[in-house]
């Protein structure tokens, strides 16, 4: 069995569902593919692009705290090889108040190519050498 034709779903809990949706929808241009309310106490949203081989699912359980990501190295990385697409993504994020921060792992400050974008699943925004990262959504 191979996974070459698999569809990837990255599912994460959050205490900030509305902020997460706004970030990915408005900031990165993801589409809301599906959403649900009070499904056995859970609210959730699936974000992505209609024909992409992946989507992100964020959920929140009423009355439960999801907490934060266990470490600063819990990342979700997107590479945007088209520089103009990358520049528009960075501008959308900056226009929404995302601010630069330093990387926890110096690898990202030293080796990421300027034409690529990295997005960590967190809340604020890092921009250095042509890439973008985010921090603290969980």
């Amino acid at each position: 069995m191979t996974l070459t034709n698999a569809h990837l779903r990255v599912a994460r809990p959050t205490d900030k569902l509305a902020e997460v949706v706004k970030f990915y929808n408005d900031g990165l241009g993801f589409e809301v593919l599906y959403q649900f309310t009070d499904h056995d106490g859970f609210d959730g949203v699936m974000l992505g692009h209609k024909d992409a081989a992946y989507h992100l699912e964020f959920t929140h359980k009423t009355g439960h705290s999801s907490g934060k990501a266990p470490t600063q190295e819990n990342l979700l990385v997107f590479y945007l090889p088209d520089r103009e697409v990358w520049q528009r993504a960075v501008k959308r994020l900056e226009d929404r108040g995302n601010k630069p921060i330093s990387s926890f792992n110096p690898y990202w400050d030293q080796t990421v190519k300027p034409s690529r974008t990295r997005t960590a699943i967190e809340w604020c925004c890092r921009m250095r050498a042509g890439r973008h990262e985010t921090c603290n959504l969980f």
Side-chain angles (χ1 to χ4, degrees):
M1 178 180 156
T2 67
L3 297 176
T4 57
N5 293 323
H7 183 95
L8 175 67
R9 172 193 281 180
V10 178
R12 295 287 183 258
T14 181
D15 292 328
K16 301 177 180 182
L17 188 58
E19 291 177 46
V20 171
V21 171
K22 186 174 179 65
F23 176 81
Y24 281 98
N25 186 244
D26 296 348
L28 290 175
F30 282 45
E31 301 168 29
V32 175
L33 301 173
Y34 182 76
Q35 56 189 349
F36 55 91
T37 304
D38 197 22
H39 177 74
D40 294 329
F42 284 87
D43 297 337
V45 178
M46 293 180 194
L47 298 155
H49 304 284
K50 184 179 176 187
D51 296 322
Y54 67 89
H55 69 269
L56 309 178
E57 177 182 22
F58 297 99
T59 60
H60 176 73
K61 180 161 178 56
T62 304
H64 175 76
S65 175
S66 298
K68 294 186 177 193
T71 74
Q72 293 175 321
E73 281 298 294
N74 284 48
L75 307 173
L76 179 61
V77 181
F78 296 97
Y79 293 105
L80 303 177
D82 182 308
R83 186 147 185 91
E84 288 181 27
V85 171
W86 173 81
Q87 288 172 331
R88 286 193 305 268
V90 169
K91 181 162 180 15
R92 276 194 314 270
L93 291 163
E94 288 177 320
D95 288 350
R96 284 159 181 80
N98 293 285
K99 304 289 183 215
I101 63 172
S102 298
S103 297
F104 177 74
N105 182 337
Y107 166 84
W108 296 108
D109 291 330
Q110 298 166 7
T111 61
V112 175
K113 304 241 181 317
S115 63
R116 295 190 168 187
T117 297
R118 170 184 172 240
T119 304
I121 303 248
E122 300 169 51
W123 180 242
C124 45
C125 162
R126 306 172 193 183
M127 278 168 253
R128 188 180 263 98
R131 73 163 197 288
H132 171 266
E133 304 171 12
T134 59
C135 62
N136 286 335
L137 286 176
F138 299 114

